[in-house]
Amino acid sequence: MILKGKVWKFGNNIDTDAIIPARYLTTSDPAELAKHVMEDADAEFPSKVSKGDMIIAESNFGCGSSREHAPIALKAAGIQGVVANSFARIFYRNCFNIGLPIFESEEAVKGIQEGDNIEVDADSGVIKNLTKDEEYTAKPIPPFMQELIAAGGLIEWTKKRLG
Amino acid sequence: MILSVFALLKALIHLTNSDYLLYISFKSFLKNLYYFEQFLGGIVNITEKILAAHVGRDEVSAGELINAKVDVILANDITAPIAITEFRKTGAKNVCDKDKIALIPDHFAPQKDIQAAEQCKMLREFSKEHDLSLYFEVGKMGVEHALLPEQGIVLPGDLVIGADSHTCTYGALGAFSTGVGSTDVASAMATGECWFKVPEAMKFVYHGKLNKWVSGKDLILHTIGDIGVDGALYRSMEFEGEAINAMSMSGRMTMCNMAIEAGGKNGIMVPDSTTVEYVKGRAKRDYKLYTTDSDSSYVDVREYDVSKIMPTVSCPHLPSNTKVAADLSNITIDQVVVGSCTNGRIEDMREAAEVIKGKKVNSNVRLIVIPATQEIFLQAMKEGLAEIFVNAGAVFSTPTCGPCLGGHMGILAKGERAIATTNRNFVGRMGHPESEVYLSNPAVAAASAIMGRIATPEEVQ
Ligand code: SF4
């Protein structure tokens, strides 16, 4: 799978309250959540983001609450994938479970600026910076996670097991 | 001697496990080592023992991905609606076990608006449809992480998952418990299992005796201040030492509750007589006490002399941004919240009441006291604590998460500042994105309510 898109850049410890504030959690409708995505980190973000964009963040992206509304809101807002130095663990598993591709790569985070166009090969973990003509690599995705992705997320994987 | 040689070899396994390619090339070597170690009776920590028992093995090792049986599955009025929708998509006709699934409407309950009411209704109807025995209606419900241990639903040796990040609280009982997502809960409701990566472990040792007005909250805030909000990322945090041994279950739960605030997968303490005493009379089924082998290896060991730890406060906007409370006396406040799954237990109510008794809440401050469960609410009434709070000019509320997550019952306006006994102070956590939250223990929160600024209990006595 190849993901290609324009980059929005964020810093350290972007928590799930910033990704989708609790005041909007009286619904789990993806389209409603998308209207407020990243609002407390950047109030303009919901109006700036377009389908196919990617997020680059520093360390511990998605820390805090376990709310799956966070990756759901990102996905519904059209974010194709997230590259960060590291992810908080519940956010990390939520992304694999619901099928939002995420990658860990310190060199990519260092090299990529906001507005750059990048191309990520989800299978090989190679990240190309098309704007700067640079190439970085992401940590390999563990085999079990690959299995989850191949199945189409945890629910499809569970279905197969039950079936 | 042999044991420490093996601790060393074990550390080697951990190192090699972290690199998958190396792992492949060392696989046969490790396999032999694994059997050899098993033959000698390996060196395992409490988290690994509980996880191993739930996959039906003697051992598991850090880095390994496992699919384990779970004893309790939890979700609340925010996370259960997604879990229920996803559960239906699995095609499962029945839940794995009607007595293992706890659905607790506590975040926006009692239902704060129509949308919240619709979400709570989903929990109620699903519970009826599947005859769930652990659904707690408003009037019986409490903040989930205070309620489940109180009711003897989570027990030592259990493996518990919850679609709520503070599910790590139950480690205080000697259980492995961790927060997951709604889809994990959906899958577990169908299969009774959940996938985990066995975490590496860090050990935290607390020596000495606590100072007056210093509690579990101060130890954990101090620790997070030391290691940072991702200091224990993907790892297990094992707490031990003289100060933990002397600590009540309430303080222990406060500490394990905030393991997630350091990025930890779980917080855990080896159960002792205090644990057994707490569980006695509450447990409705058998439980198992696990220990940690004395030669277990840890990726990091931190030791603290607790006699040097003073009442501690986390400043905006990260729990790791800690300062000594006494150094913050210039910070004025608009609101104080005593409650939540971190510090809403009866011991916390008593601590706040002791400071506030006979005094008045500062005229510039709103003090909101929220006992975490109905039982705590009732006990606080019996002991006269509710009266102390109301006489002082505080709100004494029915159990709810409420303001802790900026839900209802005490939301901050733009530019307002609160001190709270809760666990998070992220941007916008208690209301407007330009409001601020400071985190403290109940005694500091109560003293601050009287003074109208951050204060220590000594200042008001
Ligand atoms: S009290 Fe706060 S931290 Fe605890 S479960 Fe409720 S919202 Fe979460």
Side-chain angles (χ1 to χ4, degrees):
Chain A
M1 185 175 46
I2 304 280
L3 317 171
K4 215 167 157 180
K6 187 170 68 104
V7 161
W8 297 100
K9 210 165 169 185
F10 291 90
N12 281 313
N13 302 316
I14 296 294
D15 60 85
T16 53
D17 278 283
I19 300 172
I20 182 74
R23 55 185 179 275
Y24 303 120
L25 300 187
T26 48
T27 178
S28 51
D29 174 18
E32 273 304 309
L33 296 171
K35 285 183 195 160
H36 305 287
V37 69
M38 302 300 281
E39 192 178 284
D40 282 2
D42 174 359
E44 310 287 295
F45 191 77
S47 54
K48 292 193 299 200
V49 66
S50 358
K51 194 170 157 44
D53 289 354
M54 310 266 287
I55 284 180
I56 308 278
E58 289 177 21
S59 299
N60 205 24
F61 188 81
C63 62
S65 146
S66 67
R67 64 188 70 150
E68 214 161 278
H69 311 67
I72 290 174
L74 290 169
K75 215 176 148 182
I79 294 292
Q80 277 198 85
V82 186
V83 183
N85 290 337
S86 62
F87 293 91
R89 53 158 291 277
I90 307 178
F91 183 86
Y92 181 86
R93 66 184 296 142
N94 284 346
C95 287
F96 284 98
N97 286 346
I98 73 156
L100 174 68
I102 55 172
F103 308 89
E104 293 178 300
S105 169
E106 292 189 13
E107 45 170 4
V109 173
K110 217 185 265 164
I112 299 170
Q113 305 303 324
E114 180 148 306
D116 287 357
N117 279 299
I118 63 168
E119 187 183 291
V120 184
D121 182 335
D123 303 318
S124 68
V126 171
I127 303 170
K128 284 190 189 144
N129 187 333
L130 305 173
T131 307
K132 283 190 178 168
D133 197 20
E134 284 176 1
E135 205 173 284
Y136 327 97
T137 39
K139 266 195 208 164
I141 296 172
F144 173 71
M145 312 302 223
Q146 288 182 13
E147 207 182 298
L148 273 186
I149 296 171
L154 183 65
I155 292 303
E156 291 304 317
W157 184 82
T158 304
K159 232 190 208 166
K160 260 204 227 152
R161 283 191 65 207
L162 289 173
Chain B
M1 176 60 197
I2 289 185
L3 280 181
S4 48
V5 168
F6 269 87
L8 212 108
L9 289 172
K10 181 99 184 176
L12 222 161
I13 301 182
H14 289 174
L15 271 178
T16 49
N17 258 1
S18 67
D19 186 322
Y20 184 68
L21 292 176
L22 257 179
Y23 173 69
I24 294 285
S25 59
F26 276 103
K27 205 172 174 184
S28 62
F29 163 66
L30 288 173
K31 207 167 166 186
N32 291 334
L33 192 65
Y34 173 69
Y35 289 129
F36 193 30
E37 227 186 54
Q38 260 208 332
F39 171 70
L40 279 175
I43 307 143
V44 191
N45 67 45
I46 180 168
T47 293
E48 292 167 342
K49 279 187 196 174
I50 297 173
L51 289 175
H54 287 79
V55 284
R57 298 199 338 223
D58 289 333
E59 278 188 42
V60 291
S61 41
E64 207 183 323
L65 279 152
I66 56 166
N67 215 31
K69 286 205 161 49
V70 295
D71 297 302
V72 180
I73 303 162
L74 163 74
N76 57 50
D77 52 317
I78 289 181
T79 57
I82 298 180
I84 291 168
T85 308
E86 294 303 308
F87 171 82
R88 298 204 198 282
K89 290 186 195 158
T90 66
K93 294 269 170 313
N94 301 308
V95 295
C96 64
D97 185 335
K98 71 177 188 57
D99 300 319
K100 278 187 177 175
I101 300 163
L103 297 186
I104 306 180
D106 56 355
H107 280 60
F108 294 140
Q111 299 76 339
K112 78 162 182 122
D113 57 24
I114 296 169
Q115 283 186 308
E118 295 293 344
Q119 299 204 126
C120 291
K121 193 172 157 202
M122 273 183 87
L123 274 65
R124 188 177 307 117
E125 288 181 348
F126 185 80
S127 301
K128 273 205 189 121
E129 182 186 332
H130 292 278
D131 195 22
L132 302 186
S133 62
L134 302 178
Y135 169 69
F136 292 86
E137 189 53 272
V138 170
K140 293 199 182 74
M141 69 82 171
V143 176
E144 52 206 36
H145 310 305
L147 188 68
L148 292 188
E150 174 194 281
Q151 297 297 318
I153 292 163
V154 290
L155 295 168
D158 278 358
L159 196 163
V160 184
I161 59 165
D164 190 279
S165 58
H166 295 103
T167 302
C168 51
T169 309
Y170 324 129
L173 296 161
F176 174 87
S177 62
T178 192
V180 296
S182 295
T183 298
D184 287 306
V185 161
S187 170
M189 287 200 297
T191 63
E193 294 180 355
C194 186
W195 66 268
F196 302 97
K197 186 169 160 192
V198 180
E200 292 180 313
M202 283 173 96
K203 185 154 83 176
F204 299 84
V205 190
Y206 300 87
H207 300 285
K209 270 182 74 180
L210 295 179
N211 289 307
K212 176 88 179 145
W213 303 119
V214 171
S215 60
K217 182 63 163 287
D218 303 287
L219 299 195
I220 193 67
L221 292 182
H222 182 85
T223 305
I224 297 165
D226 179 33
I227 65 173
V229 286
D230 59 356
L233 196 60
Y234 303 123
R235 292 172 175 172
S236 166
M237 298 174 81
E238 202 171 314
F239 304 107
E240 63 166 56
E242 198 186 331
I244 305 295
N245 298 341
M247 196 178 279
S248 68
M249 284 312 294
S250 170
R252 294 182 190 186
M253 285 192 241
T254 303
M255 291 189 70
C256 289
N257 174 272
M258 289 195 73
I260 181 71
E261 264 34 89
K265 179 168 200 139
N266 67 320
I268 198 160
M269 294 167 179
V270 171
D272 60 6
S273 55
T274 306
T275 325
V276 172
E277 193 54 39
Y278 179 86
V279 171
K280 208 162 61 187
R282 298 177 198 266
K284 289 162 197 80
R285 57 183 164 88
D286 291 342
Y287 58 88
K288 207 166 164 196
L289 306 174
Y290 289 89
T291 56
T292 271
D293 292 343
S294 56
D295 270 24
S296 296
S297 59
Y298 296 89
V299 285
D300 194 4
V301 179
R302 302 271 170 145
E303 309 208 22
Y304 302 96
D305 174 358
V306 303
S307 68
K308 298 212 175 82
I309 297 178
M310 304 314 276
T312 301
V313 170
S314 291
C315 302
H317 289 286
L318 282 178
S320 57
N321 196 5
T322 52
K323 294 212 166 71
V324 173
D327 292 345
L328 294 167
S329 56
N330 58 332
I331 307 288
T332 56
I333 46 164
D334 305 287
Q335 178 166 300
V336 177
V337 176
V338 176
S340 86
C341 59
T342 319
N343 284 114
R345 280 171 284 270
I346 191 68
E347 291 82 352
D348 303 308
M349 299 291 124
R350 288 183 191 135
E351 192 178 306
E354 188 184 340
V355 174
I356 217 146
K357 191 174 182 180
K359 309 220 166 39
K360 292 283 178 212
V361 173
N362 187 281
S363 58
N364 296 320
V365 173
R366 310 169 306 258
L367 169 60
I368 301 168
V369 182
I370 311 178
T373 68
Q374 292 287 88
E375 209 171 290
I376 300 165
F377 184 92
L378 210 54
Q379 187 63 24
M381 303 263 278
K382 279 190 197 149
E383 293 182 21
L385 310 180
E387 205 173 323
I388 292 173
F389 292 126
V390 174
N391 279 339
V395 165
F396 189 71
S397 158
T398 190
T400 178
C401 293
C404 171
L405 79 158
H408 60 149
M409 286 294 297
I411 305 304
L412 299 176
K414 183 174 175 178
E416 284 192 328
R417 196 181 283 143
I419 186 162
T421 66
T422 55
N423 48 37
R424 284 194 177 132
N425 56 352
F426 301 145
V427 170
R429 175 75 180 176
M430 202 176 273
H432 195 280
E434 284 171 45
S435 61
E436 290 184 347
V437 180
Y438 289 72
L439 307 174
S440 76
N441 73 29
V444 169
S448 306
I450 299 166
M451 300 298 281
R453 58 165 175 81
I454 295 183
T456 61
E458 281 89 5
E459 290 181 71
V460 300
Q461 295 236 311

